[in-house]
Amino acid sequence: MNRIFFVIFLIFNFLTVKSQTIHQQAYYFRFLAKVRLNEKWALQAETDYRRFMNPDRVWQNFNQLRLHYRLNPHWESVAAMTYAAVWQGSLPVPEWRPYQSIQYQHSLGHNWSSAYRFQFEERFIHHSSKTELTEGFGFRMRPRVRWLVSKVINPKWTARFSEELFYHTDNGFNQTQTWLYIERQLNHGFVLDLGYLKTFVKRSGGGYFDRDNVRLSVIKNFTLKNI
């Protein structure tokens, strides 16, 4: 099953590379707080700030709240709400994005694990011209499918690789995301996460954006005392 997913994603990556592309670079800063409520439920809050390089300018800001429910050791469901601002020049364009996801994960042995996630997003994007917001919101639905593999190197270090495919239900393929990142466990529930992200994003005017991104994350884990 893993090989089938991997071959499919490689084919999509190859097709996008062959198309007309615009190359861009960006960097992200992210803070993620994880609160374990009990054995089944967890709450996560995230803020993500993104900027383009060459020239350096603001690109996106995401704020997200997620509620996780673990059905059993392998299955987990999530309901979430995202507020995003995406800059078009000097104009930040708002987007509200509720979504739902289901994930299956299992051990591969020898400190390796794999996970599959299906996510369905409802995107409400504010109408805008090139210079100002206009009345109303547009609506789009976007399914996403991700494959993730993780390797626990030792109690302090974990490496992860993921490949994700995005679709819009109205016009098909939207983008691919390929992640490679490493996590370092720190004291007092803190984790540092440094990752590289390769994205191919379909452009509305034809062709694709080919983006190289780096992300630095600070993660804080909280556990309620009565658990």
Side-chain angles (χ1 to χ4, degrees):
M1 188 68 175
N2 291 353
R3 293 179 180 178
I4 294 173
F5 269 93
F6 189 60
V7 169
I8 291 172
F9 289 132
L10 285 180
I11 291 172
F12 273 101
N13 281 344
F14 175 78
L15 291 176
T16 55
V17 169
K18 299 297 288 183
S19 303
Q20 179 185 359
T21 60
I22 293 177
H23 296 270
Q24 296 176 317
Q25 297 81 40
Y27 58 99
Y28 305 176
F29 298 105
R30 180 180 71 144
F31 177 74
L32 173 61
K34 300 180 178 181
V35 182
R36 184 183 172 193
L37 303 175
N38 54 42
E39 294 297 328
K40 294 286 188 180
W41 295 92
L43 190 64
Q44 297 187 8
E46 175 180 339
T47 184
D48 194 331
Y49 179 67
R50 306 175 181 182
R51 296 185 67 91
F52 281 122
M53 295 187 283
N54 300 319
D56 182 69
R57 60 183 175 89
V58 64
W59 175 23
Q60 298 174 332
N61 178 236
F62 284 82
N63 295 283
Q64 189 173 112
L65 190 64
R66 300 190 291 265
L67 184 62
H68 293 246
Y69 179 72
R70 182 164 295 280
L71 290 80
N72 57 48
H74 297 289
W75 290 94
E76 182 180 64
S77 62
V78 176
M81 172 62 78
T82 299
Y83 172 76
V86 180
W87 270 256
Q88 297 180 2
S90 60
L91 177 69
V93 178
E95 176 183 345
W96 292 95
R97 188 189 305 170
Y99 72 81
Q100 310 77 40
S101 69
I102 187 77
Q103 177 170 287
Y104 174 78
Q105 58 188 13
H106 63 103
S107 173
L108 301 175
H110 304 287
N111 293 324
W112 288 88
S113 63
S114 180
Y116 303 93
R117 184 183 72 185
F118 177 78
Q119 184 165 302
F120 199 86
E121 301 175 333
E122 299 85 36
R123 306 183 65 191
F124 297 86
I125 305 170
H126 208 296
H127 291 311
S128 65
S129 67
K130 293 183 178 180
T131 58
E132 63 182 359
L133 299 178
T134 56
E135 185 176 355
F137 286 78
F139 176 69
R140 307 188 78 177
M141 294 186 290
R142 185 170 68 178
R144 302 164 50 169
V145 181
R146 186 189 72 176
W147 172 58
L148 169 71
V149 61
S150 303
K151 167 65 173 178
V152 178
I153 301 170
N154 58 44
K156 292 291 186 181
W157 293 93
T158 300
R160 304 187 195 276
F161 169 83
S162 71
E163 186 78 34
E164 188 165 15
L165 183 64
F166 296 61
Y167 276 88
H168 275 131
T169 56
D170 57 345
N171 67 351
F173 171 77
N174 172 237
Q175 64 177 281
T176 61
Q177 291 191 356
T178 304
W179 274 105
L180 180 62
Y181 54 104
I182 192 163
E183 296 179 356
R184 174 66 160 88
Q185 299 288 331
L186 304 176
N187 295 329
H188 308 295
F190 281 97
V191 179
L192 280 183
D193 174 322
L194 181 62
Y196 166 75
L197 168 64
K198 183 71 167 181
T199 61
F200 290 100
V201 183
K202 186 178 181 181
R203 297 168 53 207
S204 59
Y208 292 85
F209 291 109
D210 174 5
R211 291 175 177 148
D212 295 291
N213 313 273
V214 292
R215 184 185 71 184
L216 177 64
S217 301
V218 177
I219 303 167
K220 171 60 177 173
N221 293 293
F222 298 90
T223 302
L224 300 184
K225 292 183 178 179
N226 60 349
I227 297 179

